[in-house]
Amino acid sequence: MTPHSSARRVATCLVLTLAVAPTHALHAQQAATLDAGLRVARLVAEPASLELRAGEAVPFRVTALDAEGRPVNAQLRVTARRSGDGAVRIAGDSVVGLSAGENQIVATVVLPAGAAVEPPRLTVPVTVSWPSVDRVVVESGAARLYVGTTVRHRATALHADGSERPRPNVQWASSDPTVATVDRFGDVAAVRPGTVTITASVERAAGTVTREIAAFPATTLDVRVSADAVRTGDVVRLEARALDRSGRAILDVPVVWSFQFTPDDSIRAPGASGLIRGDRFVGEVPGIYTVLAHAGPLVGRHAIDVRPREAVREVVHVGHGGVQHVRTSDLWVYEGVDGRDYAITGTWGADGYAYFWDVTDPSQIVKTDSLRLDARTVNDVKVAPNGRYAALSREGASNRRNGLVVLDLQDPAHPRIAATYDEGLTGGVHNMFATDTHLFALSAGDKYVILDMGDLAATRFVREYDHPDSRVHDVWVHDGLAYSSEWGTGIVVVDVGNGRWGGTIEKPVFVTAVPYPVGATHAAFPYAQQSTGKFYLFLGDEIMSRRGAAWAGTPGAGEKGGTPEVASGYIHVIDFTDPMNPRDVARYEVREFGTHNLWIEDDVLFQAYYDGGLRMVDVSGELLGNLAEQGREIAVFKSFDPGGFVANAAFVWGAQPYKGHIFFSDHYSGLWAVRLQPGRRPTS
């Protein structure tokens, strides 16, 4: 938990001192620093602008001055904001270049709650360039080059410090094109027996690899598949064995796969109907697929009959707890200590209300109580698995201390406030995760704080985790690992009690990070798939626009009585069976809509797809390709309410399967319950 700015260092020290310093002393210290901010007239940066190379660290300091130019000991918030492709990190009194591009450092004075003036602010431009490429490493893979075969080569461009240049402009060349040629992608095609040197150049550096081309030794190519009759979306394993005249297998012959497709319906079949990745094939629409293995002059083939998946089932509306006057946020459904079933929903931009529902009979959802907190938004609600306590997040509190409210659920229909906790969480709590003993709460999108919930009236700080140079949106804990969704950083995995990496709840240990180039990683759901033994991470984007799309939405959307908001983004499926080697394998993308929260149970994905409604998807078996194109969609329910905050518009926030029903919250219309009918839906 190394600090990366003076402002962050101050905040971290305050939080970590809570166990030994009296609360009133901390408040007095913080108040004095905040009051000093009222005397600040301007901020000065040294230097006023920065030019550096990636990997380089340069000194940087921001000073607060009063009207007479005297330094003021005020609290500053100094952050690095990406304005182009580049990135920088603030490390103590230095700025470190991470990647080339245009950036900004923004410094702001932190003022006390209720201040009537705008805080002084300073923007410092930062330009990061790449250092020169020092060397190029060429990788050729294990496959042997025989006449008539092609093998892709990869070039890695490295700087002097060993860091890798992203997306280098590689120039490829062959020493003798009559022996082997190479194209601009590094694909080396063997022409005749002999020796050839392949060169990859980046800027003034170059790397080489020498290849021996041998005569092609095989006479037949035997193709086998794991199944020759499957459903759309089922993954088929491919195997091609090159055999010589005596029938002996030659194991190092490179094979290239392709397929031919004859659709069931040529009008409805898309242009791209299937996918081959390595030795795996998936057909996304029904038809006959002939997989082709190419090796030198040989071609082997095998036909696969792909039938409709027929996953569609009927979904029926069961009940509705209407909230039409304000916007609804998240929900949580649970069994109370009295044996009845309850739900909690929050509100967004709505004076801090949370609502409590009896959902024992989902067809008769009854509001039992409400609480109004000092907040603008109760974004998240969480309940411990044992139903002992709940937590409500707060954003936009009048005193700017935000934090969270702990509820005693001894009487689930009428919860009482057991405590309010805000130390280290004053910047706002957007999301949380509850276990029976601990609560993980996000702090101002910067980190998460772990709280001991043993005594509800005396919630105790345990530890925090702040990933360097990252903004966090959500956290989910599974089997002692915390999976935090951190926007451009992707997923950060931390051992908080699993123990395999030495972590405990008191001493979290970083495990790995799964970066994702979309840069909008908003929520994650870890899922252990029983049928295959695989462990998948489902990562959801949140992009609150459709900029550049043919339908980009309307201005002022989402206001009461107006038009619905729009979103974009999709679900990324990561094979996380080996945490040290995560692989991006599939996605669930429905164009013109955007994802929000998700839940998976019994191989069904329950996806809140904002204006795309609640969508239920079959995620059984090995996953590959776009699940939305494979007939895996089971059902879609759009929560249209004529009296909604926005009338007859779905904007589904989150869903939770519970005791045979699916409960979900809609931003415009409150709490809903639906049920999936058993069996396939009739088509006629």
Side-chain angles (χ1 to χ4, degrees):
M1 294 184 289
T2 304
H4 293 284
S5 72
S6 6
R8 186 176 294 178
R9 181 163 59 248
V10 170
T12 302
C13 290
L14 287 172
V15 170
L16 294 180
T17 311
L18 283 174
V20 295
T23 301
H24 68 271
L26 291 173
H27 284 176
Q29 177 185 351
Q30 187 178 43
T33 308
L34 294 175
D35 288 340
L38 295 171
R39 305 200 314 272
V40 177
R42 61 191 176 95
L43 300 176
V44 175
E46 300 176 70
S49 63
L50 292 168
E51 293 186 5
L52 67 161
R53 291 185 174 184
E56 181 184 7
V58 299
F60 178 73
R61 182 174 63 179
V62 178
T63 304
L65 303 175
D66 64 13
E68 284 72 40
R70 295 173 298 203
V72 178
N73 183 26
Q75 183 175 336
L76 305 181
R77 180 177 291 113
V78 183
T79 59
R81 296 185 179 178
R82 179 179 296 191
S83 57
D85 292 332
V88 297
R89 181 179 77 235
I90 300 172
D93 295 326
S94 298
V95 173
V96 180
L98 300 179
S99 59
E102 300 297 323
N103 306 266
Q104 292 180 338
I105 293 175
V106 178
T108 310
V109 179
V110 181
L111 299 181
V117 296
E118 287 293 318
R121 187 172 183 269
L122 176 69
T123 300
V124 179
V126 184
T127 301
V128 181
S129 59
W130 290 116
S132 299
V133 172
D134 179 68
R135 63 192 185 280
V136 178
V137 178
V138 182
E139 300 174 56
S140 57
R144 180 82 182 272
L145 266 171
Y146 296 101
V147 172
T149 64
T150 299
V151 173
R152 174 158 291 187
H153 292 52
R154 181 178 182 271
T156 303
L158 301 172
H159 306 126
D161 64 357
S163 61
E164 184 176 339
R165 171 74 63 85
R167 302 181 299 277
N169 181 18
V170 182
Q171 303 296 316
W172 292 92
S174 167
S175 63
D176 189 347
T178 67
V179 174
T181 62
V182 60
D183 65 14
R184 62 192 180 99
F185 304 108
D187 291 325
V188 177
V191 178
R192 64 177 177 85
T195 303
V196 67
T197 298
I198 303 299
T199 302
S201 303
V202 180
E203 296 174 354
R204 297 184 178 181
T208 62
V209 63
T210 299
R211 301 301 306 263
E212 296 290 335
I213 312 300
F216 190 79
T219 56
T220 59
L221 197 59
D222 179 30
V223 174
R224 300 178 183 182
V225 299
S226 60
D228 53 19
V230 295
R231 303 169 301 168
T232 54
D234 288 344
V235 173
V236 178
R237 294 282 173 168
L238 309 177
E239 180 188 7
R241 296 195 310 158
L243 307 175
D244 63 14
R245 293 184 184 278
S246 63
R248 180 178 60 90
I250 304 170
L251 302 180
D252 60 357
V253 172
V255 175
V256 176
W257 292 96
S258 65
F259 68 85
Q260 296 174 334
F261 173 55
T262 303
D264 279 1
D265 185 333
S266 61
I267 303 300
R268 298 177 61 187
S273 55
L275 175 68
I276 292 178
R277 181 174 293 178
D279 64 348
R280 294 173 299 155
F281 162 81
V282 64
E284 297 194 329
V285 296
I288 305 300
Y289 294 79
T290 302
V291 292
L292 305 170
H294 307 263
L298 304 178
V299 177
R301 66 191 67 222
H302 196 106
I304 302 172
D305 185 9
V306 178
R307 296 293 89 210
R309 194 170 190 88
E310 298 183 341
V312 173
R313 292 160 58 185
E314 184 179 3
V315 59
V316 295
H317 172 220
V318 177
H320 181 202
V323 180
Q324 291 96 350
H325 63 294
V326 295
R327 285 168 285 203
T328 297
S329 57
D330 217 341
L331 83 160
W332 199 267
V333 189
Y334 67 102
E335 182 176 311
V337 294
D338 59 0
R340 296 183 66 82
D341 297 322
Y342 295 92
I344 305 175
T345 57
T347 56
W348 191 91
D351 295 329
Y353 275 96
Y355 296 112
F356 305 90
W357 313 82
D358 187 320
V359 298
T360 307
D361 179 357
S363 67
Q364 298 293 327
I365 297 176
V366 178
K367 186 188 298 180
T368 62
D369 211 338
S370 65
L371 279 175
R372 186 181 183 186
L373 312 181
D374 179 8
R376 178 173 177 268
T377 291
V378 179
N379 189 78
D380 197 14
V381 299
K382 287 292 190 294
V383 178
N386 61 11
R388 171 174 157 263
Y389 75 89
L392 309 178
S393 72
R394 297 200 305 169
E395 295 179 284
S398 63
N399 63 1
R400 299 190 183 183
R401 291 197 62 80
N402 291 302
L404 54 89
V405 173
V406 180
L407 303 181
D408 186 331
L409 297 181
Q410 187 62 36
D411 180 358
H414 305 284
R416 67 173 185 84
I417 295 177
T420 298
Y421 188 91
D422 57 21
E423 297 299 339
L425 300 172
T426 57
V429 177
H430 198 65
N431 277 301
M432 304 172 292
F433 187 90
T435 72
D436 286 341
T437 56
H438 292 84
L439 182 71
F440 294 70
L442 268 61
S443 176
D446 186 53
K447 60 189 176 183
Y448 55 83
V449 172
I450 305 172
L451 304 174
D452 187 326
M453 306 301 289
D455 183 350
L456 298 184
T459 302
R460 182 177 65 85
F461 171 84
V462 176
R463 197 71 172 180
E464 66 179 42
Y465 183 81
D466 186 353
H467 196 71
D469 311 303
S470 190
R471 301 291 292 169
V472 59
H473 179 275
D474 206 347
V475 62
W476 194 273
V477 181
H478 174 84
D479 193 23
L481 296 178
Y483 298 85
S484 55
S485 303
E486 310 219 2
W487 296 119
T489 305
I491 291 295
V492 174
V493 185
V494 175
D495 187 341
V496 292
N498 176 280
R500 179 178 171 187
W501 292 269
T504 65
I505 198 76
E506 295 82 12
K507 186 183 177 182
V509 173
F510 171 76
V511 175
T512 188
V514 184
Y516 217 85
V518 174
T521 305
H522 158 275
F525 197 97
Y527 183 63
Q529 192 184 66
Q530 298 299 317
S531 59
T532 63
K534 289 185 173 293
F535 191 88
Y536 287 111
L537 285 181
F538 289 73
L539 317 183
D541 300 325
E542 184 182 45
I543 305 171
M544 296 310 297
S545 77
R546 281 206 284 266
R547 190 175 297 112
W551 167 242
T554 57
E559 295 304 318
K560 186 169 179 59
T563 58
E565 298 163 83
V566 296
S568 58
Y570 56 93
I571 297 297
H572 310 261
V573 185
I574 311 296
D575 186 337
F576 201 68
T577 308
D578 178 0
M580 298 298 105
N581 184 32
R583 294 183 300 112
D584 182 4
V585 293
R587 72 188 194 277
Y588 173 59
E589 180 179 12
V590 182
R591 297 186 185 276
E592 287 207 351
F593 302 120
T595 65
H596 201 235
N597 296 342
L598 65 157
W599 198 293
I600 304 169
E601 185 174 280
D602 296 333
D603 285 352
V604 178
L605 165 65
F606 299 93
Q607 180 61 56
Y609 223 113
Y610 269 155
D611 47 332
L614 171 65
R615 310 184 81 94
M616 290 145 274
V617 185
D618 173 5
V619 292
S620 62
E622 188 175 358
L623 304 177
L624 182 67
N626 185 6
L627 310 183
E629 301 295 337
Q630 299 173 1
R632 287 180 174 268
E633 289 192 313
I634 298 169
V636 176
F637 185 87
K638 296 202 175 184
S639 36
F640 295 148
D641 181 358
F645 189 87
V646 175
N648 289 324
F651 209 70
V652 179
W653 183 284
Q656 181 183 346
Y658 181 81
K659 293 186 178 181
H661 291 82
I662 304 102
F663 292 87
F664 67 93
S665 60
D666 186 288
H667 203 44
Y668 300 146
S669 54
L671 177 65
W672 294 74
V674 297
R675 183 178 66 248
L676 269 178
Q677 298 291 72
R680 177 171 166 259
R681 187 175 71 188
T683 56
S684 60

